[in-house]
Amino acid sequence: MKDARRLPLFRPLEISLIFLSIIIFLFGLLLQHKDILFLAVILSFSGNIMFLLSDLKKHIVYGTFLVSFFTFLLGGVVCEYLFGYQSNYKFSDAILCHTYISLYIALLALDFGYHFFLKIIKKDQTNVSKNKTDPKRFIIQKISRIIFFITYIPWIIATIETVIYVQQKGYISYYTDYHSSLPYVFIQIANMSAICFYIFISTFPEFKSYRVPQYLYLFQAILGLFTGKRTNIIIPIMIIIIYRMLREREERTGQWFHKKMIYILIIITPLLLSFMYTYRYSRVDVDQENSSFTQTITGFFEDTGFSVNVISFEKMYEDNLPEKNYAFGSVIDYARENVVTQMFFDFPVYSGQTYESAVYRHNFAHTITYVDAPSYYLSGHGYGSSYIAEAYHDFGYLGIILFSLIYSCFFAFFSKTQNMGILFTTLSFIALRAILFAPRGAASQFLADLINVHSWLVIILIFGFAKLFYQNRKRSSTI
């Protein structure tokens, strides 16, 4: 009843904001006025937020992606308009118009696509509580939990090794010189742990069984923060929030997500943003000027919002970039460089931030940084990427629409993972990490993760063991 009362308030606001944004966008497009176009972007984003507020628990996956979208692509520009922040990068009005047009098209496609796919997905009547009595589900849950605990120790050891290297050699050196001294097999065992965790939570365990693996998963994420990568903590936190809100929406027990957690998030979020901004300087040993708490928060958005510039750089250098497919670059590179392929073919493998990596791999983040600032790139720095820049470079504005629709379809399906089975849910969590990072990452990284040989070996191992145990138990019960 609560959602029903809220719906009439937020839906008209959403429709009004989207409709107004379309009018303003067309007006800005006609005048080629960057300020008007960005206003349309903000109105469209606000319309999406109104829709989310109608049922936040149901749309939490889409909502989390929009948080990522704002953080990496909109936050920095908003700071420029509101606080007079001056970017170090100057682009012509024509390029900025292109950038804001791209952002608007992405948001509009995400909004329309998400509404469309929610309507066409037929609701599965299977009840989660009935699935909990399935013996196969229980066996998979138990095996994945045990293997998670076993592989967790190598995972922590591998993480500690990276942390020690970064603390001794520096964050930048990690991208240019780092090679693990641990045995290859040990590293692969360590990499099993996260996949085991995703399989485990995809079985929808009881809360008491879930708590310890969750804490261990988050502990590794916190430890990984000291490798210098801020996303090591942000994305896992997002995944945990998404999972717990979806479980609470289905079960309504008050265990998975309650009001106290909302208050905690409201308090912690500004502190976390401030810490992330300060940590950005400490990881590269750069002295930070004294800043107020508010300045560190706005500074965070100014800093992480750099990714919007990648869209502008793509337009600026579109005629100078090597002719390669970047939108599906992650899939192409993985298909050429994975262990199985290398057993049969002698494809060259490039690693680190080198001239060869920038020129011959299909990695847009490497290429765009090298084209704009070769010395900066070769010294270990990078601009990152954005699915919008990659999609536009390969397929134009239709490419932005295509990938935005693919993501919106994923969000709609994810909202019903409770009815989709363990394997589908596991694959959804594997893809989720890359998709949440897509505003700053590669467009097709989620596909590369889904075809990852190592991930499938873990899935086959756990499901295979589960099938053997189930068949043995079944035979024993018939004797």
Side-chain angles (χ1 to χ4, degrees):
M1 292 299 295
K2 185 177 180 181
D3 291 339
R5 290 196 298 267
R6 294 170 66 186
L7 188 61
L9 172 64
F10 290 107
R11 289 304 298 276
L13 284 174
E14 176 212 357
I15 295 171
S16 299
L17 286 169
I18 295 296
F19 181 73
L20 180 61
S21 76
I22 294 174
I23 295 175
I24 292 178
F25 174 74
L26 293 174
F27 188 58
L29 193 62
L30 180 65
L31 298 178
Q32 283 295 292
H33 196 292
K34 61 182 180 65
D35 296 335
I36 297 176
L37 287 170
F38 188 70
L39 176 60
V41 172
I42 293 302
L43 289 173
S44 179
F45 181 81
S46 301
N48 274 273
I49 296 301
M50 291 300 106
F51 171 69
L52 296 176
L53 292 176
S54 66
D55 191 343
L56 183 58
K57 289 179 181 177
K58 178 180 179 181
H59 309 301
I60 183 60
V61 186
Y62 182 41
T64 306
F65 177 81
L66 287 180
V67 170
S68 178
F69 194 99
F70 180 88
T71 301
F72 293 122
L73 298 175
L74 301 183
V77 185
V78 169
C79 287
E80 290 183 26
Y81 279 97
L82 294 182
F83 306 109
Y85 164 73
Q86 296 297 319
S87 174
N88 294 327
Y89 300 90
K90 303 297 181 184
F91 300 101
S92 67
D93 285 357
I95 289 179
L96 290 176
C97 283
H98 158 75
T99 300
Y100 301 154
I101 289 170
S102 300
L103 292 172
Y104 183 81
I105 289 174
L107 283 171
L108 202 63
L110 285 165
D111 183 50
F112 286 165
Y114 187 63
H115 281 80
F116 174 75
F117 289 115
L118 279 179
K119 289 182 179 179
I120 67 170
I121 294 174
K122 295 181 179 179
K123 185 175 179 60
D124 190 337
Q125 299 301 318
T126 304
N127 191 295
V128 178
S129 62
K130 292 180 180 179
N131 283 338
K132 288 185 178 181
T133 63
D134 183 1
K136 293 181 182 179
R137 181 201 65 84
F138 180 75
I139 294 172
I140 293 173
Q141 180 184 123
K142 195 168 185 179
I143 293 174
S144 60
R145 191 171 189 263
I146 292 172
I147 298 180
F148 169 74
F149 288 141
I150 294 172
T151 58
Y152 184 78
I153 297 174
W155 195 21
I156 290 297
I157 292 173
T159 305
I160 291 174
E161 184 203 32
T162 307
V163 171
I164 293 173
Y165 179 89
V166 171
Q167 298 302 314
Q168 292 179 346
K169 304 291 185 178
Y171 172 71
I172 301 303
S173 179
Y174 173 79
Y175 289 95
T176 57
D177 304 315
Y178 176 73
H179 296 283
S180 176
S181 61
L182 297 171
Y184 174 80
V185 174
F186 188 90
I187 295 296
Q188 297 309 309
I189 293 173
N191 292 338
M192 292 175 61
S193 198
I195 305 300
C196 293
F197 179 76
Y198 296 147
I199 296 173
F200 169 69
I201 64 176
S202 297
T203 64
F204 300 98
E206 297 290 341
F207 184 73
K208 62 181 181 180
S209 178
Y210 163 82
R211 280 187 300 182
V212 174
Q214 173 201 258
Y215 294 143
L216 292 176
Y217 179 70
L218 288 176
F219 175 75
Q220 189 281 333
I222 294 171
L223 189 62
L225 176 64
F226 294 97
T227 64
K229 295 181 180 180
R230 293 176 291 184
T231 53
N232 281 352
I233 183 66
I234 296 298
I235 299 298
I237 288 176
M238 286 181 169
I239 290 175
I240 292 299
I241 292 173
I242 287 170
Y243 181 74
R244 295 187 64 148
M245 288 192 76
L246 288 175
R247 290 295 301 270
E248 182 59 34
R249 178 174 174 268
E250 289 295 320
E251 301 179 21
R252 302 181 185 279
T253 61
Q255 286 182 310
W256 294 97
F257 208 92
H258 44 78
K259 288 184 178 180
K260 288 184 180 179
M261 293 183 67
I262 297 176
Y263 298 144
I264 291 172
L265 286 174
I266 292 173
I267 295 172
I268 288 180
T269 299
L271 298 174
L272 185 61
L273 296 181
S274 177
F275 169 76
M276 290 296 176
Y277 176 70
T278 304
Y279 184 67
R280 185 254 186 185
Y281 289 93
S282 63
R283 68 180 181 177
V284 291
D285 296 324
V286 174
D287 291 332
Q288 179 192 2
E289 296 180 0
N290 292 329
S291 302
S292 66
F293 180 70
T294 304
Q295 288 173 327
T296 59
I297 294 176
T298 57
F300 170 83
F301 287 108
E302 293 165 4
D303 179 35
T304 56
F306 175 86
S307 296
V308 73
N309 293 324
V310 174
I311 304 173
S312 299
F313 279 128
E314 185 283 326
K315 188 65 175 176
M316 178 185 294
Y317 295 115
E318 61 181 343
D319 296 329
N320 303 103
L321 295 172
E323 287 299 324
K324 296 180 289 186
N325 183 286
Y326 295 102
F328 292 98
S330 298
V331 176
I332 295 171
D333 285 340
Y334 180 76
R336 290 166 58 92
E337 299 171 1
N338 72 80
V339 175
V340 176
T341 302
Q342 289 294 312
M343 291 172 62
F344 300 98
F345 301 96
D346 191 25
F347 291 128
V349 177
Y350 307 105
S351 60
Q353 294 192 204
T354 63
Y355 168 82
E356 290 77 15
S357 292
V359 174
Y360 299 120
R361 297 188 79 221
H362 298 74
N363 190 310
F364 188 78
H366 284 245
T367 302
I368 194 66
T369 309
Y370 180 79
V371 169
D372 181 64
S375 299
Y376 185 74
Y377 168 77
L378 294 174
S379 65
H381 297 84
Y383 292 164
S385 187
S386 173
Y387 87 90
I388 294 176
E390 295 182 3
Y392 176 80
H393 181 81
D394 291 340
F395 307 110
Y397 291 118
L398 287 177
I400 298 175
I401 295 173
L402 172 64
F403 275 93
S404 296
L405 289 177
I406 291 172
Y407 295 160
S408 63
C409 179
F410 172 82
F411 302 141
F413 271 99
F414 202 102
S415 66
K416 299 182 182 298
T417 51
Q418 294 88 339
N419 303 314
M420 295 295 183
I422 298 172
L423 179 59
F424 181 90
T425 306
T426 299
L427 296 176
S428 297
F429 277 108
I430 291 173
L432 179 61
R433 186 182 185 100
I435 291 180
L436 289 178
F437 196 59
R440 182 180 168 75
S444 62
Q445 183 60 51
F446 76 101
L447 292 175
D449 292 346
L450 287 176
I451 64 172
N452 186 283
V453 175
H454 182 266
S455 297
W456 277 103
L457 287 176
V458 177
I459 292 171
I460 292 171
L461 175 68
I462 291 177
F463 279 71
F465 272 129
K467 186 175 182 178
L468 289 175
F469 275 109
Y470 178 74
Q471 290 176 343
N472 288 335
R473 178 184 291 183
K474 198 172 181 181
R475 280 196 295 265
S476 298
S477 62
T478 57
I479 296 176

